[in-house]
Amino acid sequence: MASKVIHALYTDDDVLMDAVKQVRSEHYHIEEVYTPFPVHGLDKAMGLAPTRLAITSFMYGCVGLTVAITMMNYIMIEDWPQNIGGKPSFSYLENMPAFVPIMFELTVFFAAHLMVITFYMRSKLWPFKEAENPDVRTTDDHFLMEVDASHQDVDKMTSFLSSTGAVEIKVIDKQEDNH
Amino acid sequence: MYTLSSKLRLFSIILMVVGLVGLTTGFLSTPNTVEDVKEMMAAHDAHGGGHGDTHAKADAHSSDGHGKEDAHGGDSHYEHVLHQLQNKPWAALYVAAFFFFMIALGVLAFYAIQFAAQAGWSPVLFRVMEAITAYLVPGGIILFVILALSGFHMNHIFHWMDTDLVDPANEHYDALIAGKKGWLNVPFFLIRAAFFLGGWFLYRHFAVKYSRKQDEDATGNKWYKKSFKISAGFLVFFIYTESMASWDWIMSFDPHWFSTLFGWYVFAGLFVSGITTIALITIYLKSKGYLEFVNNSHIHDLAKFMFGVSIFWTYLWFSQFMLIWYSNIPEEVTYFITRIEDYKLPFFGMLAMNFIFPLLVLMNSDYKRINWFVVMAGIIILCGHYIDVFNMVMPASVGASWFIGISEISAVLLFLGLFLFIVFKALTKAPLLAKGNPYIEESKHFHY
């Protein structure tokens, strides 16, 4: 399916922020914004939903804590409760202070690593992934806003976008939807 | 400007009066002689049930541990209990006096850090912090008076102050305490206390003075720069003196025991209590409409500090506990054995209040902006840290005879009333916005 998008390039993040707000108030659909660095408040201006990554991290941490407790309870208390240096191995609770460093570390380990992997998967990042950058300058000093232009008056949109401070405007015909 | 409402004034005066009456009752109802203790214990045992059991256990404990003393005469156990019961209202008074003093001291340290770190978010809260530290001077003087009374043998909450212990000719001679005589002797103890308190009072006096002057004359930030310098100096002075004060005022209750990270542990407790109090008073004043320039991002930041420092406190608590539990060296581990045997609920209960509760409640970023969540967590944290001080002081002064009863609650009410009265009175003395501070605009527009 062929679709039409407009690429509007900006050179300043403040101009970009204002442009995003204007485009949204005109009810045009912003497909994507490419920036060389995080622009504070851009997600709010674009109306993106807040991330739930922290919630996943909390749950992964709980998993890590459970793994640590189950593992050490099985190994140290149930399977082979040896007397090691007089430490009480009759129940998990009695010897718990000795297990806390591992419980803590595994909680952090699971929370951190699984959250990072979740981030990679959700943002579709991996080695040998083909870069989706529409214009090389957006990793250096340009900001690019991609606006959906199918079923729209392209000329009107172009003049509107240039009024928002865009330094360059391109109309692109996409052969297939690459999202 | 803040005006003290007559309701709040009346409330704090009622608290003080009720506390004073209750504390007097506590002092009057302590037994005077061994016979009184025997009568009391017989009356308790007659009730039977749980009370009888605990006393039976205490008796068994004394026959193991104090067998030698029992040989001197059958009354030594009752004498022991008598001393504990006589200490009880004094210890209750001391715990409450120290707890509210440490809140003011924690706020002072936080205030100095905000200056030294040139924090951009907190200047709108400076007047609240300055008002809370107003309690430092009266609270510190009360604490000093209690320490001096102990030094003049009006009570026996500090065991090492007993002169028999350091006299080699005496039958109660204690070589370990006598060996610490160079540090633990009453004149030096009081001189140190006066020195620590004097240094803290001095910083508080000049910090507040410079802050007011900066309001009047902000050209060149002359007063602000002075504040910055004395804050940095104070922080160096503070970390040494706070550490030594914690040995003197808390650790010396157990003169046979020592711990190297004790100063930090006490610091973490007073720091988190101070920050929590800032949050609670800020939320109260904002709800009354006095702090329109404080937004929920400021509350969010305070709650983050409450959360982070609560975990820091737990880290130190656990580091101290685990190292001693793990190595299990007899002269160190008795500290925790008495606490786990006689103080099981307060000892582990405070861990739930000071760690698990704030951890789960304040983890969510959205909850940290909700006032009633922060207030709820704050009240639990403050109660938890009162119990923390209680756990540090009581086992060595009243032992197994502890109870959170009339004396303890009254002492808290007395000092709570005094604290509220002084803090809210101090709030009326200056405008609530430190308008001369160079970071005040940034702070007003702070958004996280």
Side-chain angles (χ1 to χ4, degrees), chain A residues 9-13 34-37 135-144 167:
Chain A
L9 279 123
Y10 299 84
T11 49
D12 187 277
D13 50 341
Y34 297 87
T35 65
F37 54 79
D135 189 311
V136 286
R137 291 171 296 172
T138 62
T139 62
D140 182 14
D141 60 352
H142 278 64
F143 303 82
L144 188 151
V167 291

Short mmCIF file of all heavy atoms in Angstrom, two decimals, chain A residues 9-13 34-37 135-144 167:
data_model
loop_
_atom_site.label_atom_id
_atom_site.label_comp_id
_atom_site.label_asym_id
_atom_site.label_seq_id
_atom_site.Cartn_x
_atom_site.Cartn_y
_atom_site.Cartn_z
N LEU A 9 12.29 19.18 8.22
CA LEU A 9 13.54 19.23 9.00
C LEU A 9 13.66 20.56 9.74
O LEU A 9 13.35 21.61 9.18
CB LEU A 9 14.74 19.04 8.09
CG LEU A 9 15.01 17.57 7.77
CD1 LEU A 9 14.99 17.35 6.28
CD2 LEU A 9 16.30 17.11 8.39
N TYR A 10 14.14 20.48 11.00
CA TYR A 10 14.35 21.67 11.83
C TYR A 10 15.79 21.66 12.31
O TYR A 10 16.44 20.62 12.35
CB TYR A 10 13.41 21.67 13.04
CG TYR A 10 11.96 21.67 12.65
CD1 TYR A 10 11.29 20.48 12.33
CD2 TYR A 10 11.25 22.86 12.59
CE1 TYR A 10 9.98 20.49 11.97
CE2 TYR A 10 9.91 22.87 12.22
CZ TYR A 10 9.27 21.69 11.91
OH TYR A 10 7.97 21.68 11.55
N THR A 11 16.28 22.84 12.71
CA THR A 11 17.66 22.90 13.19
C THR A 11 17.74 23.29 14.67
O THR A 11 18.81 23.42 15.21
CB THR A 11 18.49 23.92 12.39
OG1 THR A 11 17.75 25.13 12.32
CG2 THR A 11 18.80 23.40 11.01
N ASP A 12 16.59 23.45 15.29
CA ASP A 12 16.62 23.87 16.69
C ASP A 12 15.55 23.13 17.47
O ASP A 12 14.41 23.01 17.00
CB ASP A 12 16.38 25.39 16.75
CG ASP A 12 16.57 25.92 18.16
OD1 ASP A 12 15.62 25.84 18.96
OD2 ASP A 12 17.68 26.38 18.44
N ASP A 13 15.88 22.67 18.65
CA ASP A 13 14.90 21.86 19.39
C ASP A 13 13.73 22.70 19.91
O ASP A 13 12.63 22.19 20.03
CB ASP A 13 15.57 21.06 20.52
CG ASP A 13 16.46 21.91 21.41
OD1 ASP A 13 16.84 23.00 20.96
OD2 ASP A 13 16.74 21.47 22.53
N TYR A 34 12.55 12.37 14.65
CA TYR A 34 13.93 11.91 14.79
C TYR A 34 14.78 13.06 15.33
O TYR A 34 14.77 14.15 14.75
CB TYR A 34 14.50 11.46 13.44
CG TYR A 34 13.77 10.27 12.85
CD1 TYR A 34 12.62 10.43 12.06
CD2 TYR A 34 14.22 8.98 13.10
CE1 TYR A 34 11.95 9.36 11.54
CE2 TYR A 34 13.55 7.88 12.57
CZ TYR A 34 12.42 8.08 11.80
OH TYR A 34 11.76 7.00 11.29
N THR A 35 15.47 12.82 16.47
CA THR A 35 16.31 13.87 17.05
C THR A 35 17.70 13.31 17.36
O THR A 35 17.83 12.12 17.63
CB THR A 35 15.72 14.41 18.37
OG1 THR A 35 15.73 13.36 19.33
CG2 THR A 35 14.31 14.93 18.19
N PRO A 36 18.73 14.17 17.34
CA PRO A 36 20.08 13.68 17.67
C PRO A 36 20.29 13.45 19.16
O PRO A 36 21.23 12.78 19.54
CB PRO A 36 21.00 14.78 17.15
CG PRO A 36 20.17 15.98 16.98
CD PRO A 36 18.74 15.54 16.86
N PHE A 37 19.43 14.02 20.00
CA PHE A 37 19.57 13.85 21.46
C PHE A 37 18.19 13.97 22.09
O PHE A 37 17.24 14.44 21.45
CB PHE A 37 20.54 14.90 22.03
CG PHE A 37 20.17 16.33 21.69
CD1 PHE A 37 19.16 16.98 22.38
CD2 PHE A 37 20.83 17.00 20.66
CE1 PHE A 37 18.82 18.27 22.07
CE2 PHE A 37 20.48 18.30 20.35
CZ PHE A 37 19.47 18.93 21.05
N ASP A 135 17.28 10.28 7.39
CA ASP A 135 18.19 11.33 6.92
C ASP A 135 19.38 11.34 7.86
O ASP A 135 19.21 11.51 9.07
CB ASP A 135 17.46 12.68 6.97
CG ASP A 135 18.28 13.78 6.29
OD1 ASP A 135 19.49 13.89 6.61
OD2 ASP A 135 17.70 14.50 5.45
N VAL A 136 20.61 11.17 7.33
CA VAL A 136 21.78 11.04 8.20
C VAL A 136 22.00 12.24 9.10
O VAL A 136 22.56 12.11 10.17
CB VAL A 136 23.08 10.77 7.40
CG1 VAL A 136 23.09 9.36 6.88
CG2 VAL A 136 23.25 11.80 6.29
N ARG A 137 21.53 13.41 8.68
CA ARG A 137 21.79 14.60 9.48
C ARG A 137 21.06 14.58 10.81
O ARG A 137 21.42 15.29 11.74
CB ARG A 137 21.36 15.86 8.70
CG ARG A 137 22.25 16.15 7.50
CD ARG A 137 21.65 17.25 6.67
NE ARG A 137 20.37 16.86 6.09
CZ ARG A 137 19.56 17.69 5.44
NH1 ARG A 137 19.88 18.96 5.31
NH2 ARG A 137 18.42 17.26 4.94
N THR A 138 20.05 13.73 10.94
CA THR A 138 19.29 13.71 12.21
C THR A 138 20.09 13.12 13.36
O THR A 138 19.66 13.20 14.50
CB THR A 138 17.99 12.90 12.08
OG1 THR A 138 18.33 11.57 11.77
CG2 THR A 138 17.08 13.49 11.05
N THR A 139 21.23 12.48 13.09
CA THR A 139 22.05 12.01 14.22
C THR A 139 23.08 13.05 14.60
O THR A 139 23.83 12.86 15.54
CB THR A 139 22.79 10.71 13.86
OG1 THR A 139 23.67 10.99 12.77
CG2 THR A 139 21.82 9.62 13.48
N ASP A 140 23.13 14.16 13.83
CA ASP A 140 24.16 15.15 14.12
C ASP A 140 23.54 16.45 14.62
O ASP A 140 23.57 16.74 15.81
CB ASP A 140 24.97 15.37 12.83
CG ASP A 140 26.11 16.34 13.03
OD1 ASP A 140 26.41 16.62 14.20
OD2 ASP A 140 26.67 16.82 12.03
N ASP A 141 22.90 17.21 13.73
CA ASP A 141 22.40 18.51 14.18
C ASP A 141 21.05 18.89 13.59
O ASP A 141 20.68 20.04 13.59
CB ASP A 141 23.43 19.60 13.89
CG ASP A 141 23.74 19.72 12.41
OD1 ASP A 141 23.26 18.84 11.66
OD2 ASP A 141 24.44 20.66 12.01
N HIS A 142 20.32 17.92 13.05
CA HIS A 142 18.99 18.24 12.48
C HIS A 142 17.90 17.43 13.17
O HIS A 142 18.15 16.33 13.67
CB HIS A 142 18.96 17.96 10.98
CG HIS A 142 19.55 19.08 10.17
ND1 HIS A 142 20.87 19.43 10.27
CD2 HIS A 142 19.00 19.92 9.25
CE1 HIS A 142 21.11 20.45 9.45
NE2 HIS A 142 20.00 20.76 8.82
N PHE A 143 16.73 18.01 13.19
CA PHE A 143 15.56 17.35 13.78
C PHE A 143 14.56 17.12 12.67
O PHE A 143 14.30 18.02 11.87
CB PHE A 143 14.93 18.24 14.86
CG PHE A 143 15.90 18.62 15.94
CD1 PHE A 143 16.78 19.68 15.75
CD2 PHE A 143 15.93 17.92 17.13
CE1 PHE A 143 17.67 20.04 16.75
CE2 PHE A 143 16.83 18.28 18.14
CZ PHE A 143 17.70 19.33 17.93
N LEU A 144 13.99 15.92 12.61
CA LEU A 144 13.09 15.60 11.50
C LEU A 144 11.74 15.15 12.03
O LEU A 144 11.65 14.28 12.89
CB LEU A 144 13.72 14.50 10.65
CG LEU A 144 13.03 14.15 9.32
CD1 LEU A 144 14.07 13.65 8.34
CD2 LEU A 144 11.92 13.14 9.47
N VAL A 167 13.24 24.07 7.97
CA VAL A 167 14.23 24.57 7.02
C VAL A 167 14.19 23.80 5.71
O VAL A 167 14.71 24.24 4.70
CB VAL A 167 15.65 24.51 7.61
CG1 VAL A 167 15.80 25.51 8.74
CG2 VAL A 167 16.00 23.11 8.08
#
